[in-house]
Amino acid sequence: MLRILVTGGAGFLGSHLCERLVKDGHDVICLDNFFTSQKTNVTHLLDYPNFELIRHDITVPVFLEVDQIYNLACPAAPGHYQFNPIKTIKTSVLGSINMLGLAKRCGGRILQASTSEVYGDPEVHPQPESYRGSVSPIGIRACYDEGKRVAETLFMDYHRYNNVDVRIVRIFNTYGPRMHPFDGRVVSNFIRQALAGEPITIFGEGTQTRSFCYRDDLIEGIIRLMNCEDGFIGPANIGNQDEYTIRELAEKVIEISGSKSTLTTEPLPADDPTRRQPDITLAKKHLNWSPTTDLATGLAKTIEWFRTINLDDYRPPTPNYK
């Protein structure tokens, strides 16, 4: 049994990670400031003796004794991280410094949840970990993109100069049950609109592409990276290699949900990447990992979960959620 800290542990992915680690028998501390997350994501874990919930912001140091740290804390949807961009970059930079300091003091291993957004609007396709990216440092997405890039720099510097045991995962678009319905992500937007019979909003012509990874596959991948012992620390792309246009995604959501929704278009947001697909060669080689859930199966499970929730129980976490 390990003592494991999960920052951002009440979020979409963090809550599933906590659930998996608790059921695996580890002593889990979930730390979250509830800016974009829901307490209800983890309330079912409160009765477990090996689970603890702490309300805390990682831009402020915290003193705990742990063996592993999964650093997932950071607003991840554009409407959320653009709502307070300075707070967003502080979370990535100051939060990483604080968590790395904790790992250094405890002698623990720490995993950084980075993102495919470090590649920006890529000029290489699909994107391997060796690609350095095409990111605007002054764009409206830079608070998130560059914040995550600096976090990776900090992790590698702490590893090289302070011998901190680190792991870095670059997460590509992930979806599944327990997504916040108003998080502004394309999957949750489309499902919410489809179930309401509203027009599904596509930005641009819908020809931009994404690769969608189901949440269970993603959680398995990052746990394998955390516990990899062959000397591989990453960065490692974790995502599904199947590439779809946004229009194709909308059509699949309509088909699987049985909705009568039509499609409507709005202008493409600034700095929105035109293509996104992971090269997962390293994950296959070092982690023996590849996704097992196809998009149709994952969407069906996600849509079914959306049918069970009451949208009135969820407030848009920020005013800029569309």
Side-chain angles (χ1 to χ4, degrees):
M1 182 179 72
L2 297 174
R3 299 165 300 176
I4 301 177
L5 171 64
V6 181
T7 73
F12 162 48
L13 291 177
S15 63
H16 286 292
L17 177 60
C18 285
E19 187 174 74
R20 166 73 181 272
L21 296 173
V22 165
K23 291 183 177 179
D24 285 348
H26 299 295
D27 188 5
V28 178
I29 302 172
C30 169
L31 189 149
D32 206 297
N33 69 351
F34 301 109
F35 173 53
T36 60
S37 56
Q38 296 280 119
K39 285 185 182 178
T40 52
N41 285 343
V42 292
T43 50
H44 66 291
L45 297 175
L46 291 174
D47 290 335
Y48 285 81
N50 56 328
F51 178 79
E52 182 178 358
L53 176 62
I54 300 175
R55 184 168 192 150
H56 184 83
D57 189 318
I58 65 167
T59 61
V60 178
V62 62
F63 297 93
L64 300 165
E65 301 297 329
V66 295
D67 302 304
Q68 292 184 346
I69 303 168
Y70 288 84
N71 188 35
L72 274 61
C74 188
H80 299 171
Y81 63 66
Q82 291 169 16
F83 172 69
N84 189 339
I86 296 172
K87 176 68 171 178
T88 296
I89 201 164
K90 281 183 175 180
T91 301
S92 285
V93 178
L94 296 179
S96 291
I97 291 172
N98 289 332
M99 290 303 106
L100 285 161
L102 177 61
K104 178 184 175 184
R105 181 179 61 80
C106 293
R109 179 176 295 175
I110 180 169
L111 178 143
Q112 166 65 6
S114 191
T115 171
S116 60
E117 298 303 322
V118 300
Y119 299 122
D121 191 1
E123 299 161 334
V124 174
H125 193 79
Q127 294 81 58
E129 291 86 349
S130 58
Y131 175 54
R132 296 181 180 181
S134 176
V135 178
S136 168
I138 60 172
I140 60 172
R141 301 170 68 102
C143 59
Y144 183 70
D145 302 356
E146 297 286 30
K148 290 290 190 177
R149 287 164 67 94
V150 171
E152 289 194 15
T153 300
L154 286 164
F155 267 67
M156 291 308 300
D157 284 342
Y158 266 79
H159 174 65
R160 283 187 289 254
Y161 297 106
N162 292 321
N163 297 314
V164 175
D165 189 1
V166 305
R167 301 289 187 272
I168 299 173
V169 59
R170 290 175 179 165
I171 297 172
F172 281 68
N173 293 67
T174 306
Y175 69 100
R178 218 177 285 162
M179 298 182 77
H180 196 296
F182 298 104
D183 64 8
R185 300 171 192 259
V186 65
V187 172
S188 45
N189 275 359
F190 286 2
I191 292 176
R192 196 184 74 250
Q193 291 173 327
L195 294 182
E198 301 172 353
I200 290 182
T201 305
I202 291 177
F203 293 97
E205 296 301 316
T207 56
Q208 64 271 37
T209 68
R210 296 293 184 271
S211 302
F212 301 98
C213 186
Y214 188 63
R215 59 100 201 266
D216 291 352
D217 290 333
L218 187 284
I219 295 301
E220 177 65 27
I222 65 174
I223 288 176
R224 290 193 187 193
L225 177 60
M226 172 64 94
N227 296 293
C228 179
E229 299 294 352
D230 73 351
F232 178 65
I233 66 172
N237 291 335
I238 298 293
N240 195 308
Q241 286 191 297
D242 294 338
E243 185 181 14
Y244 293 91
T245 68
I246 296 303
R247 185 174 290 272
E248 287 173 334
L249 173 68
E251 291 168 349
K252 276 188 174 292
V253 169
I254 291 173
E255 176 187 356
I256 294 171
S257 66
S259 174
K260 302 298 183 183
S261 294
T262 57
L263 304 182
T264 184
T265 61
E266 290 189 12
L268 195 66
D271 296 332
D272 193 55
T274 55
R275 301 192 74 182
R276 180 74 80 232
Q277 182 189 26
D279 180 333
I280 59 171
T281 302
L282 291 181
K284 289 179 178 179
K285 176 182 177 181
H286 293 281
L287 310 178
N288 191 28
W289 177 90
S290 59
T292 61
T293 307
D294 62 79
L295 183 60
T297 301
L299 282 178
K301 292 179 179 180
T302 308
I303 290 169
E304 183 57 33
W305 178 80
F306 266 77
R307 293 186 193 277
T308 68
I309 64 174
N310 181 359
L311 292 181
D312 291 337
D313 292 337
Y314 295 81
R315 63 174 179 82
T318 76
N320 305 326
Y321 68 91
K322 72 176 181 177

